[in-house]
C-alpha cells in the first residue's frame, strides 16, 4: 500500500504524498520486496494440511485428541473454535478488565421493522449503562477472522447493522479505540511457571490508497501493487464508492477490521518485543483465570509506549484457536511459517498435558464440533465486514 516516503526514498511522481499522516504510532511500513508471499492467500485446506497431520501425531503422542482444549481451562473449549467472545470478556478481572475496551451486548430480536426498532432502543440503553457513546465497534459474539466487524458512528449506522444482523444471534458493541496502530500479541505461559513470554508480535497496518485528483477509487485500488492483487477483498465492501474520485493527496482506508483475511497488512514485530512489554502481558494474563495460551489483539498509541508496556487497549482475546499471525508477513518463508506453527502447536499440547496432570478434564471433542458448525452457519449471515 502507499505509505509516506522517507527522506532517503523520494516519492514517485505517480504516488502523491498523503495530506495527513497514516499509520500513526507505527514503525515505518516497509513495502520493499514482493507485495504478498506466494502462500499468503492459499486456500485454508491446502495451507493447513501439514498442521492437521501434526495435530494427529500430537494427539497420539499425548493420548488425547481433546487435549488442546485444555490450554485455557476457563475458556469455552479452551477458545479453540466457535467460542463466545462475551464469555471470555466476562472472565476478565483486575488488569485484564481494565485493559479491555468497554463493551455491552444484546441478542437480535425478530427480523422486522418492529424488532429492529426495539433492538435499537435496547442497544442505546445498554450503551448508556456501559458508558459507551458513538462511535463504537459492532461485531458478532461468535465469529472469527474479522467477520461482521464494522465501525458504527451514528444511530443510523447502528440501525442498519441491527437490521442486517441474523435473528437470535448475539452481537457486541465495544468502545472504539481511535488509535491507528494495532497489534497482535501472542502469549504463552506453561502451567506451574510464574512468568510467560511473548511468542509472537504482529504489527497490523491498515491499507490505504492515496487520491491523485482524477482516478476513481476502483482505479486506485487496481493500480496499487498490493491492493491490485486483492481486488476480490476490497471491491465488494466499497462497491458504493468505487466511482468516487479522491482529491490529490487524500488517503482512503481500505480496511477497518485488523484481520489478514480482510486485507490488513501484517508485519513481523519480533524486534520490538521488550521485557517491559512481557511484564505487562504477564500481569494481564495473571488476571484471567487459568489462561496460558492465546493472542491479545490491541490498539496502541505508539510503538514506544507499547514497548514500555503502556498506552494500549485490548479489543479481543483469542484462545487455543489463535495463531502467531506474524507468519503472514510477506517476507516470511513457507518453511519459517510451518516451523512457527509446529512449535506453537507443540506448546499447545504440552500446556494441555500439564493441565490434565493438574486434574482438569478435556471437554468432549463433539462439543467443539457443534460449536464449529454453529460458527460456520452464522458467518455468512453477518453484515459485510469493513
Amino acid at each position: 500500500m502507499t505509505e509516506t516516503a522517507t527522506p532517503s526514498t523520494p516519492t514517485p511522481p505517480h504516488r502523491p504524498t498523503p495530506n495527513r499522516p497514516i499509520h500513526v504510532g507505527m514503525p515505518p511500513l516497509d513495502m520493499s520486496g514482493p507485495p504478498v508471499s506466494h502462500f499468503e492467500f492459499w486456500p485454508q485446506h491446502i495451507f493447513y494440511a501439514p498442521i492437521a497431520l501434526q495435530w494427529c501425531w500430537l494427539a497420539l503422542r499425548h493420548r488425547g485428541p481433546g487435549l488442546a482444549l485444555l490450554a485455557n481451562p476457563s475458556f469455552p473449549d479452551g477458545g479453540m473454535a466457535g467460542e463466545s467472545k462475551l464469555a471470555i470478556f466476562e472472565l476478565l478481572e483486575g488488569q485484564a478488565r481494565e485493559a479491555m475496551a468497554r463493551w455491552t451486548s444484546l441478542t437480535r430480536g425478530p427480523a422486522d421493522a418492529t424488532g429492529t426498532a426495539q433492538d435499537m432502543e435496547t442497544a442505546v440503553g445498554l450503551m448508556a449503562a456501559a458508558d459507551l457513546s458513538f462511535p463504537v465497534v459492532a461485531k458478532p459474539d461468535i465469529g472469527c477472522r474479522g467477520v461482521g466487524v464494522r465501525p458504527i458512528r451514528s444511530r443510523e449506522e447502528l440501525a442498519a447493522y441491527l437490521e442486517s444482523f441474523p435473528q437470535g444471534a448475539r452481537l457486541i458493541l465495544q468502545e472504539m479505540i481511535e488509535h491507528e496502530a494495532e497489534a497482535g500479541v501472542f502469549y504463552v505461559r506453561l502451567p506451574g511457571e510464574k512468568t510467560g513470554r511473548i511468542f509472537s508480535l504482529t504489527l497490523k497496518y491498515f491499507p490505504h490508497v492515496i487520491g491523485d485528483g482524477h482516478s476513481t477509487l476502483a482505479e486506485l485500488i487496481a493500480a496499487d501493487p498490493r491492493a491490485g492483487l486483492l481486488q476480490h477483498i476490497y471491491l465488494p465492501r466499497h462497491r458504493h464508492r468505487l466511482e468516487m474520485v479522491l482529491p490529490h493527496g487524500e488517503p482512503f482506508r481500505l480496511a477497518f477490521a485488523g484481520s489478514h483475511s480482510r486485507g490488513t497488512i501484517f508485519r513481523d514485530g519480533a524486534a520490538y518485543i521488550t521485557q517491559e512489554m512481557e511484564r505487562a502481558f504477564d500481569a494481564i494474563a495473571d488476571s484471567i483465570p487459568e489462561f496460558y495460551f492465546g493472542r491479545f489483539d490491541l490498539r496502541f498509541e505508539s510503538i514506544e509506549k507499547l514497548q514500555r508496556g503502556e498506552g494500549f487497549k485490548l479489543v479481543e482475546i483469542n484462545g487455543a484457536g489463535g495463531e502467531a499471525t506474524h507468519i503472514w508477513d510477506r517476507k516470511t518463508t513457507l518453511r519459517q511459517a510451518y516451523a512457527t506453527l509446529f512449535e506453537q502447536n507443540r506448546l499447545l499440547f504440552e500446556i494441555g498435558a500439564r493441565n490434565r496432570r493438574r486434574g482438569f478434564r478435556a471437554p468432549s471433542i463433539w462439543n467443539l464440533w457443534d460449536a464449529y458448525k454453529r460458527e460456520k452457519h452464522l458467518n455468512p449471515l453477518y453484515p459485510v465486514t469493513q
Side-chain angles (χ1 to χ4, degrees):
M1 295 304 153
T2 308
E3 171 67 17
T4 304
T6 62
S8 60
T9 307
T11 303
H14 62 286
R15 288 194 184 180
T17 300
N19 292 332
R20 60 179 184 270
I22 57 178
H23 305 143
V24 176
M26 301 284 278
L29 175 58
D30 177 12
M31 291 301 291
S32 63
V36 299
S37 70
H38 72 279
F39 63 88
E40 196 171 337
F41 291 95
W42 281 2
Q44 290 189 52
H45 67 278
I46 294 177
F47 178 78
Y48 288 104
I51 306 304
L53 292 175
Q54 186 207 19
W55 268 63
C56 294
W57 179 80
L58 288 170
L60 289 172
R61 178 186 175 190
H62 290 281
R63 300 184 303 280
L67 201 60
L69 310 186
L70 282 181
N72 305 303
S74 63
F75 284 21
D77 297 322
M80 180 59 67
E83 72 276 13
S84 162
K85 296 179 178 68
L86 185 63
I88 294 174
F89 287 178
E90 291 178 342
L91 289 171
L92 305 183
E93 303 171 349
Q95 293 192 41
R97 183 168 284 267
E98 292 176 9
M100 179 63 70
R102 297 187 306 276
W103 76 88
T104 190
S105 68
L106 71 152
T107 300
R108 179 72 171 95
D112 55 32
T114 302
T116 299
Q118 180 61 54
D119 286 346
M120 183 69 189
E121 294 309 309
T122 300
V124 170
L126 289 169
M127 285 175 58
D131 194 24
L132 292 171
S133 58
F134 296 109
V136 294
V137 177
K139 55 187 174 184
D141 178 43
I142 296 174
C144 63
R145 299 166 65 87
V147 65
V149 176
R150 301 193 73 165
I152 304 296
R153 301 186 180 275
S154 65
R155 289 178 63 100
E156 292 74 20
E157 289 186 2
L158 178 56
Y161 187 89
L162 290 170
E163 188 173 2
S164 60
F165 203 82
Q167 179 182 1
R170 186 162 56 190
L171 63 106
I172 292 173
L173 298 174
Q174 191 172 35
E175 173 189 8
M176 181 181 287
I177 307 303
E178 294 285 7
H179 301 319
E180 174 74 16
E182 183 161 329
V185 175
F186 202 101
Y187 176 89
V188 175
R189 178 165 62 94
L190 297 177
E193 296 186 354
K194 292 184 177 181
T195 60
R197 65 185 175 101
I198 295 177
F199 181 81
S200 164
L201 174 64
T202 304
L203 300 176
K204 305 180 182 183
Y205 293 83
F206 296 107
H208 293 72
V209 290
I210 310 300
D212 57 13
H214 60 82
S215 298
T216 65
L217 178 60
E219 291 169 339
L220 291 172
I221 292 173
D224 188 274
R226 185 174 187 275
L229 300 176
L230 305 177
Q231 295 184 59
H232 62 287
I233 294 177
Y234 300 128
L235 294 183
R237 74 174 59 141
H238 298 298
R239 58 185 179 277
H240 58 296
R241 303 187 184 99
L242 293 178
E243 297 305 314
M244 175 178 64
V245 175
L246 297 175
H248 189 278
E250 181 71 16
F252 183 89
R253 181 166 159 173
L254 297 176
F256 173 80
S259 171
H260 173 263
S261 63
R262 308 296 167 180
T264 298
I265 304 169
F266 282 16
R267 293 291 184 261
D268 186 353
Y272 295 93
I273 298 172
T274 64
Q275 291 183 345
E276 292 84 356
M277 193 189 305
E278 291 194 316
R279 282 196 291 268
F281 284 95
D282 268 331
I284 290 173
D286 282 345
S287 58
I288 306 173
E290 297 293 341
F291 175 79
Y292 301 98
F293 182 99
R295 192 183 69 242
F296 299 100
D297 291 332
L298 55 98
R299 290 203 170 178
F300 60 94
E301 187 175 345
S302 70
I303 189 63
E304 293 80 13
K305 285 192 173 184
L306 181 60
Q307 288 183 294
R308 296 198 297 268
E310 58 188 43
F312 65 88
K313 276 286 188 179
L314 304 180
V315 295
E316 201 157 306
I317 300 176
N318 301 271
E323 69 181 6
T325 51
H326 76 267
I327 64 172
W328 303 119
D329 185 322
R330 83 293 186 230
K331 289 187 176 180
T332 301
T333 67
L334 186 61
R335 180 186 295 273
Q336 290 169 335
Y338 281 138
T340 296
L341 294 179
F342 288 156
E343 175 62 10
Q344 173 187 307
N345 291 328
R346 185 194 68 78
L347 289 168
L348 177 65
F349 274 82
E350 181 178 347
I351 291 170
R354 290 195 181 199
N355 282 333
R356 181 173 59 186
R357 290 195 293 270
R358 295 172 62 218
F360 289 101
R361 183 177 178 182
S364 168
I365 202 73
W366 299 112
N367 291 343
L368 176 65
W369 177 243
D370 289 340
Y372 173 78
K373 288 193 298 182
R374 181 172 66 251
E375 180 179 87
K376 287 300 181 184
H377 167 73
L378 286 170
N379 281 350
L381 304 179
Y382 293 137
V384 175
T385 301
Q386 283 195 359

